[in-house]
Each structure stands twice: as structure tokens, then as C-alpha cells.
Amino acid sequence: MGIAVAGMDFLSDRASMMREALQKSQTITDNVVSILGSFDSRLSALETAMRPTQIRTHAIRKAHENIDKSLKSAEVILAQFDLSRQAEAKILKGPHEDLEGYLAAIDQLRSNIRFFSSNKNFKNSEGVINHSNTLLAKAISKLEDEFKQRLNSYSKPIEPDRLFDGLPNSLRPSSGSPGNQGEPGGRGPSHNHSEHQNVDLETAVYTPPTLIPPRIIPLLHDLAKQMVRAGHNQQLLKIYKETRSLVLEESLRKLGVEKLGKDDVQKMQWEVLEAKIGNWIHFMRIAVKLLFAGERKVCDEMFEGFDSLSDQCFAEVTASSVSVLLSFGEAIARSKRSPEKLFVLLDMYEIMRELHSEIETIFKGKACNEIRESALGLTKRLAQTAQETFGDFEEAVEKDATKTAVLDGTVHPLTSYVINYVKFLFDYQSTLTQLFQEFETGDGTVSQLASVTMRIMQALQTNLDGKSKQYRDPALTHLFLMNNIHYMVRSVRRSEAKDLLGDDWVQIHRRIVQQHANQYKRNAWQKILQCLSIQGLTSSGGGSSVGDGGNSSGVSRALIKDRFKIFNMQFEELHQRQSQWTVPDTELRESLRLAVAEVLLPAYRSFLKRFGPLVENGKNPHKYVKYTAEDLERMLGEFFEGKNINEPKR
């Protein structure tokens, strides 16, 4: 109980203490609030008092900021003026000593113009801009002079030897060729042509010469770029054309290119014209693959980024040179057609086809349209003229009216000419097939070439038949036809024509050769063989005869003598005449002699053995039996040698 009372007292005391503490805290709080309230009124009064000072301070700070900005703007403008003065000094000094610095000064001048154009509030901006533009115009004018001077300085004609160094070995001229001109190694335009060689040429590597030193191109590019930016495209084009076109023309002139037109071509002898055509083919390769390719590379690098300008410059620089080359081709294509021109026309057509893809690539762009069309037009015109010439040839062969006869019956010049012509055709099989595809109806395959070749061969035979009628001696007529058709057969068998014409053609014409050989023997030797016949050798009174029986029983000695005399006379006449005749093919000549000997010698031996004793026992036997069989065989060995009548006998 006592403990409980004591606890309650303790709690009461504690509560009393807490009340006193709370009262003190409230008093303090009220005092603080009162103090803070007085501060608030004082701060408000202070803020009111400080506001004018704050406004002045802000104005001063803004003024300082504006002054700083103005100073910085002034510094920038002064810096631009300083740069302008530096640029002006370099521009007035000229580009020759320090081209890169000069170009940098022009760029700075342009930058200054842009700066003042965008700061028109600066009261002197207009004057500065006008001065800078005037200075820029002077700078570009000097730049044009510098571009022209440097381009001229590094633009030199290319010597032929440097061009030849860029050719594949197979096309380089032989060291002994005069002037290093013409087809390499002396190869004529229509001889030694080989389509597999053309295949090799298509994969051959050409190395265009360096027309302008590579270290100079970037500088010229920078000069050109400044001129283009100044809008001086036409001045740039004019300078480039005048300089580079003359250099290109001079390079071709040094090579041997001549400006020849249709009138010049018509006046030339064929041999001279043929050589010039061979040169032209060589020049076309060099011009397109080396000179024009090199010029294209220079244009593309110098005018990089300005494709249309590059194309236009290239077109105008090359136009004159291309015209000189193509005009000669046009003159040939439009000149009077003749058979001998077919192969040079095909050669010219081939080179134009070979160069077609390169011409399309090098002469790209709209500006070169006319050049590309001219090249393609020449290609088509050459093809058309070649096709027409090919058609003319067949007609010319059939109607050839050459009156000059070959007196010895050998191969006629027309035959060798036509056969060589046909053999050359097979060097151009793919080209002719191309022509047939362009101009003929049908499939344009090799079968058309076979058909045309057969017609040419038939036309030749028809003409030879007509020419053979000029001979009075039928034996010589057949010898002539035998020689010529044998020449045709042999030539076909040894050439690609065999595959085209076929074995049947060969076999048929071999039989024709044999038929003419048989006809020759019949016409030339039938009469003399009759002298060795026993027909008509019966006793006819007056003359003595042998009556002892045997093989010569009842035969008149006088008739035998007469037979020997006639035989000797006829054989000597045949020997004299036919030793002047010619069988040019060794194998055919020996075969023909053997065929005659196989008929003549056995008949002579038999006649001599049977009737020789009749005259050998009489007076002057050598007057009648003048020859042994061996003598005849030796003399037959002199037949068909084409001996001159005045040559001594062997």
C-alpha cells in the first residue's frame, strides 16, 4: 500500500515537471516567432532599398557582355581583313612560284566573300565584297594563264617508238621496216591472215603511254576545279581542246597517219593503196588502244567530278584525229569495187569490229555520240561493200574474158588467182559468216560459205571450158583442162576448203581430171599407135617381102619402111611440140608420162621385134629404125617440161 502511494507521488511530480518545461518551450517559440516577424519586415525594407542597385548592376553586366561580343565580332572581322590582305598579296604575286598557296588564297577569298555576304549589317560589307570579287576575277584570269602554260609545257607529241612499246610483241614493227611503219614484220593486209591470230590479239595486253606526268595531273585538276567553280567552263574547254588536239594530231602524224580522201584514194596505184590500208589497220589499233585510251585517262583524272565536262573535252580533243582516220576508211568503202579489194575490206571490217567495244567504252557519254555513230557507220559500210564485192567476184570469174592463152597448156593465171582467192576466204570464215548474217537471208552459217564457194568453183570451170576452146589441138585442150582442174582439186585437198566442199566434190573432180588425161592420150597418141599396128601390112606387089613364114610372113618391106618413117616423123613432131607443153605438178607429170609409156613402149617393142629385121637387113637400116625403146622412154621423159623451142635437146 505504502509502495503504491509512493509511486503515484513520483508520477505526479514528473508530470508537474513536464508541464513546466512545455510552458517554457512555448514561451521561447513565441519569442522566436516575434523576432522572425521583425526580420521579415526588415528584409522587405532592405530589398526595397537594394532594388535600384541591382538594376544598375544588371545593366552594367549586360553592357560588359555586349562589349565582349562586339570586341569578338571586331576580332573576327579584323581577322577576315587580315586573311583578305594575305590572300590578296598571294594573288597579286601570281600562281607561278607557289601554285598550291595561290589556290588556297582563292579559296580564302571565296570564304571572305561568303562571310561578308552573310554580314551585310557591317557598313563596309558591300565595298569589301566588290573588291574581293574584282580580285577573284583577276585571280581566275591568272589561273587560266597558268593552266594553259602548264598544260602546254607538259603536252608533248608521243614518238612512234614509245607507242610501239605499248603494243603486244606480235604487233611491234620489225626493226628493219622503214620508218617503223606498216604491218608488223612486213605482214600485208591481205596476206598471212589468220583468224587464230586475231583471237590472240583479242586477249593481248596493250599499255597506253603516259601522256602527262602523273605528278602534274592533281595540280591541273585543282586549277580546272577553280575555273569550273568560277563558271569558266567554256574557257577551260577552249584551252584544253586547242592544246591537246594539236598534240594528238602531231602524234598521229609522226606515226604516219595521212589525211586522205576519196579523190586521193582513186588516184593511187593498187600496190600503194594496199600498203596504206595495211598501215591504216595498224594505226587504228594504236590510235584507239593507246592514244585515245591514254587521252581518256587524262581527261577522267583531270576533270574528276565533272563527268559531262570530261566527256565534252575528250570529244573535242579527239574529233579531228578520229575524222582523219575514219575518212580514209570511208574513202575505201566508197571507192570503186574490185575483187582484189575484198580482203582489205574484210581486214578493215575486222579491225573495226575488234575495236568496237573499246570505242564504245572510251567514247562514252552524250558528247561522244557523233564519234560513236561515225565508227559504227564505217563498220556497216565496210561490211556492205565487202558483201557486194564478194558477190561481184563470182560474176567476174564466170565472165572473165582474158584473151591471153597459156600456150603450153599449164595452169591459167585465172585459176591460180581464183584458188588463192578462195583459200584466203577461209581465213575469214567467222567474218564472212557475220556478213552473211547481216546481209543474207537464211541462217548465215558456214553452209552459205560452202554454197558460194561451190558456185565460184563452177564459175571457174565454166570459164576454163571456154578458154580451152582457143586451142586448135584437141590434145592440148584436154591437157589444159586436166592441169587446171587438177590444180583446183589439189588446192582444195590441202586447204580448209576440203571440209567445206566435202569428199564428194573432191572425188568427182578427180574423176574429171582422169577423164581429161584419157582424152589427151586418145587425141595425142591414137594416130601414132596406128603406125605400130599390123593392120594394112599385107604384100602389095612391087616391093620385096619375106616368104619364109614367121611373124613377118607376107609383109611388104616397103610398107614396113614407110611405117617406121611415119612413126619417126610423128614421134619427133610430138616430142618437139609436147616438150614445150607443161604439166606443172610433178606427180601428175610423171603419171601422165608413165601412162603414155605403158601404151607406146610395149607396142613399139612388139613392132620392132616383129618387123625390125626386115629393114635391118636392108640398106641404111638406121634411116628407118632410128630409136630404140630406151630412146623413146628417155625422150618421153622430156615431155611436158615447158621447154623453149630454141633450147638444145637433151
Side-chain angles (χ1 to χ4, degrees):
M1 186 75 171
I3 294 171
V5 171
M8 291 295 288
D9 291 339
F10 175 77
L11 289 172
S12 178
D13 292 339
R14 294 292 295 172
S16 186
M17 290 173 66
M18 288 180 68
R19 280 194 299 273
E20 291 175 0
L22 286 170
Q23 288 174 353
K24 289 180 181 179
S25 176
Q26 182 64 44
T27 301
I28 292 169
T29 300
D30 292 340
N31 292 336
V32 169
V33 168
S34 177
I35 292 168
L36 287 174
S38 66
F39 277 157
D40 186 52
S41 60
R42 289 176 184 176
L43 285 172
S44 179
L46 181 62
E47 183 179 358
T48 300
M50 287 293 292
R51 186 170 289 115
T53 303
Q54 290 174 341
I55 291 171
R56 286 195 297 272
T57 302
H58 179 71
I60 291 169
R61 186 166 61 249
K62 291 297 289 183
H64 277 293
E65 288 177 0
N66 289 335
I67 290 169
D68 288 340
K69 285 182 180 180
S70 297
L71 287 173
K72 287 180 180 178
S73 296
E75 286 175 2
V76 170
I77 291 170
L78 290 172
Q80 288 295 327
F81 273 115
D82 188 48
L83 291 171
S84 292
R85 284 194 298 273
Q86 293 175 17
E88 183 173 1
K90 288 183 179 180
I91 286 169
L92 292 175
K93 192 175 181 181
H96 195 63
E97 293 182 6
D98 181 13
L99 179 58
E100 292 183 9
Y102 189 85
L103 294 172
I106 290 177
D107 284 335
Q108 183 59 55
L109 201 57
R110 292 185 195 278
S111 177
N112 291 348
I113 293 170
R114 287 195 300 272
F115 173 81
F116 286 107
S117 295
S118 62
N119 289 275
K120 291 292 184 68
N121 56 338
F122 177 64
K123 67 177 182 178
N124 290 326
S125 290
E126 197 68 33
V128 172
I129 291 170
N130 290 337
H131 177 72
S132 296
N133 279 326
T134 302
L135 191 59
L136 183 60
K138 291 180 180 178
I140 297 300
S141 178
K142 289 184 179 182
L143 211 58
E144 287 181 12
D145 294 338
E146 183 68 15
F147 181 81
K148 183 175 183 179
Q149 188 274 329
R150 290 199 179 232
L151 188 63
N152 269 317
S153 177
Y154 291 102
S155 293
K156 303 296 180 187
I158 305 300
E159 295 296 327
D161 285 344
R162 279 188 60 202
L163 291 172
F164 297 148
D165 288 342
L167 291 171
N169 290 332
S170 60
L171 287 178
R172 292 182 186 179
S174 58
S175 57
S177 58
N180 283 333
Q181 295 180 13
E183 282 289 316
R187 186 170 72 90
S190 61
H191 303 287
N192 300 325
H193 179 279
S194 173
E195 290 201 329
H196 74 79
Q197 184 181 35
N198 285 348
V199 173
D200 293 340
L201 291 177
E202 288 175 7
T203 58
V205 176
Y206 294 79
T207 309
T210 301
L211 303 182
I212 293 179
R215 62 185 176 84
I216 302 299
I217 297 289
L219 289 176
L220 291 172
H221 168 71
D222 290 341
L223 288 169
K225 184 168 68 174
Q226 292 288 0
M227 293 171 67
V228 171
R229 289 180 67 184
H232 289 214
N233 296 39
Q234 290 305 310
Q235 294 92 317
L236 177 61
L237 176 62
K238 183 173 182 288
I239 293 169
Y240 192 82
K241 175 191 173 183
E242 288 177 352
T243 303
R244 294 301 306 163
S245 60
L246 291 175
V247 169
L248 187 57
E249 289 168 22
E250 180 63 14
S251 297
L252 289 174
R253 190 195 65 77
K254 284 175 172 283
L255 186 65
V257 174
E258 302 173 82
K259 189 172 184 178
L260 299 171
K262 186 176 179 181
D263 291 341
D264 301 309
V265 166
Q266 296 286 28
K267 294 174 186 176
M268 285 183 195
Q269 295 292 326
W270 167 241
E271 292 76 11
V272 175
L273 183 60
E274 186 179 28
K276 288 190 180 296
I277 292 171
N279 288 339
W280 179 85
I281 291 168
H282 199 41
F283 297 156
M284 281 298 296
R285 277 201 186 97
I286 291 174
V288 173
K289 293 177 178 283
L290 300 179
L291 277 174
F292 296 154
E295 195 67 48
R296 179 85 247 188
K297 185 172 184 287
V298 168
C299 276
D300 287 346
E301 291 177 351
M302 194 174 299
F303 304 110
E304 184 181 1
F306 309 103
D307 291 346
S308 61
L309 180 61
S310 174
D311 292 343
Q312 191 174 4
C313 282
F314 180 69
E316 298 212 12
V317 164
T318 55
S320 176
S321 295
V322 171
S323 176
V324 169
L325 288 164
L326 296 187
S327 63
F328 178 78
E330 289 282 352
I332 298 298
R334 295 180 183 276
S335 63
K336 184 179 179 181
R337 298 196 304 269
S338 60
E340 66 269 16
K341 285 184 181 176
L342 175 61
F343 299 106
V344 295
L345 287 167
L346 292 174
D347 285 331
M348 294 171 75
Y349 173 64
E350 281 186 350
I351 190 63
M352 292 304 295
R353 281 183 59 206
E354 177 188 327
L355 298 175
H356 174 72
S357 62
E358 280 154 305
I359 289 173
E360 291 290 311
T361 301
I362 294 170
F363 293 91
K364 62 184 178 181
K366 184 178 179 181
C368 297
N369 274 349
E370 187 175 341
I371 292 176
R372 292 197 304 273
E373 289 172 3
S374 295
L376 183 60
L378 173 59
T379 306
K380 290 182 176 179
R381 196 162 291 110
L382 287 168
Q384 182 177 358
T385 306
Q387 189 267 343
E388 291 169 353
T389 303
F390 192 89
D392 293 343
F393 180 68
E394 180 185 344
E395 184 179 355
V397 171
E398 187 168 1
K399 295 182 178 179
D400 177 76
T402 305
K403 296 298 183 183
T404 305
V406 283
L407 301 178
D408 58 356
T410 189
V411 175
H412 196 278
L414 176 66
T415 304
S416 56
Y417 176 74
V418 171
I419 293 301
N420 286 335
Y421 203 92
V422 169
K423 284 162 66 177
F424 278 134
L425 286 178
F426 291 96
D427 287 339
Y428 296 87
Q429 282 197 56
S430 65
T431 304
L432 289 168
T433 300
Q434 180 77 17
L435 289 179
F436 291 140
Q437 287 174 340
E438 290 186 12
F439 295 102
E440 299 285 342
T441 56
D443 58 4
T445 60
V446 178
S447 61
Q448 287 187 324
L449 182 57
S451 175
V452 173
T453 304
M454 285 184 178
R455 292 203 307 267
I456 290 173
M457 291 294 204
Q458 186 55 53
L460 175 59
Q461 281 183 253
T462 301
N463 191 286
L464 290 172
D465 285 338
K467 284 179 168 48
S468 71
K469 292 178 171 58
Q470 298 177 45
Y471 299 108
R472 294 182 178 179
D473 189 332
L476 186 54
T477 294
H478 290 290
L479 188 81
F480 170 78
L481 291 171
M482 177 198 72
N483 276 330
N484 282 269
I485 296 174
H486 178 267
Y487 181 85
M488 293 167 63
V489 172
R490 185 191 63 177
S491 299
V492 167
R493 289 179 63 194
R494 295 179 179 179
S495 73
E496 295 177 63
K498 180 182 179 182
D499 296 332
L500 201 66
L501 297 177
D503 287 332
D504 287 347
W505 187 94
V506 172
Q507 294 304 322
I508 289 169
H509 286 79
R510 287 181 72 178
R511 286 196 293 272
I512 292 173
V513 171
Q514 188 59 52
Q515 289 168 7
H516 285 299
N518 293 337
Q519 287 286 75
Y520 154 78
K521 286 190 296 181
R522 185 175 297 109
N523 283 277
W525 297 95
Q526 186 174 20
K527 187 176 179 181
I528 195 172
L529 287 171
Q530 288 176 353
C531 293
L532 303 177
S533 170
I534 63 171
Q535 292 180 1
L537 291 178
T538 56
S539 179
S540 57
S544 59
S545 63
V546 178
D548 297 329
N551 289 337
S552 57
S553 176
V555 177
S556 166
R557 180 180 281 111
L559 285 176
I560 295 299
K561 287 181 178 180
D562 193 47
R563 284 287 183 92
F564 273 114
K565 284 173 66 177
I566 293 172
F567 175 85
N568 294 336
M569 180 183 67
Q570 289 184 352
F571 185 79
E572 287 166 0
E573 182 183 341
L574 286 171
H575 176 264
Q576 182 183 23
R577 190 185 326 137
Q578 295 195 31
S579 60
Q580 296 175 49
W581 294 358
T582 302
V583 178
D585 184 80
T586 304
E587 185 179 341
L588 181 61
R589 183 170 61 245
E590 291 302 322
S591 173
L592 196 60
R593 287 171 179 168
L594 182 60
V596 172
E598 286 177 345
V599 175
L600 179 67
L601 297 182
Y604 185 74
R605 286 192 179 100
S606 175
F607 190 85
L608 186 61
K609 180 179 181 181
R610 185 172 183 179
F611 302 111
L614 288 179
V615 286
E616 287 172 353
N617 295 331
K619 294 181 179 180
N620 301 318
H622 295 296
K623 182 178 177 181
Y624 306 103
V625 184
K626 293 177 67 173
Y627 303 107
T628 64
E630 289 70 24
D631 291 333
L632 295 182
E633 186 174 13
R634 175 184 58 78
M635 293 174 74
L636 283 175
E638 296 176 346
F639 278 50
F640 319 125
E641 290 284 352
K643 287 174 56 180
N644 189 292
I645 194 170
N646 296 319
E647 287 183 17
K649 290 184 179 181
R650 299 180 184 178

